[in-house]
Amino acid sequence: QVQLVESGGGLVQAGGSLRLSCAASGSIFSINVMGWYRQAPGKQREFVAEITSGGITNYADSLKGRFTISRDYAKNTLYLQMNSLKPEDTAVYVCNAVRRGQSNWGQGTQVTVSA
């Protein structure tokens, strides 16, 4: 089992920035992919970005250029730098880790972007 705890969410004005963190603990050895997803009110959870153990990153097309995912192996922490935020980025952002085919999820952190 992998435990994931997100932090860094909050209220920000449109155009602002936030950096989300996801601290991983437990059986973190052999995590293949870590990523971020988000779920806005009344909408399905959607993919935001992911990073493989080899450092390859993938982003949702609509977020490329504004969001950057990174991982600090020494701190066992995943980050999501979000710039030029828009009201439509408002959602609960959830961290995900895939280890040996099993998906693990955090509880999420709320991001609210005001117009």
Side-chain angles (χ1 to χ4, degrees):
Q1 288 284 350
V2 177
Q3 290 79 46
L4 303 169
V5 179
E6 301 95 335
S7 61
L11 174 64
V12 64
Q13 288 188 331
S17 298
L18 280 175
R19 188 178 79 156
L20 306 183
S21 299
C22 171
S25 61
S27 301
I28 59 175
F29 183 73
S30 295
I31 289 178
N32 304 110
V33 183
M34 293 192 74
W36 292 95
Y37 290 73
R38 67 184 185 183
Q39 187 164 17
K43 295 187 177 181
Q44 290 187 331
R45 182 174 290 180
E46 66 173 349
F47 169 76
V48 173
E50 67 181 8
I51 183 167
T52 69
S53 57
I56 297 172
T57 58
N58 295 297
Y59 296 90
D61 287 342
S62 61
L63 302 177
K64 287 180 181 178
R66 294 197 298 124
F67 289 14
T68 303
I69 190 170
S70 61
R71 184 175 173 183
D72 187 328
Y73 287 87
K75 296 182 178 180
N76 297 323
T77 301
L78 180 72
Y79 300 100
L80 184 68
Q81 178 68 42
M82 305 185 295
N83 298 326
S84 302
L85 284 163
K86 305 175 181 180
E88 52 262 44
D89 293 319
T90 294
V92 175
Y93 285 71
V94 185
C95 180
N96 172 264
V98 178
R99 177 182 177 272
R100 296 180 179 176
Q102 184 174 9
S103 195
N104 301 267
W105 297 93
Q107 292 298 310
T109 184
Q110 176 71 46
V111 172
T112 303
V113 184
S114 63

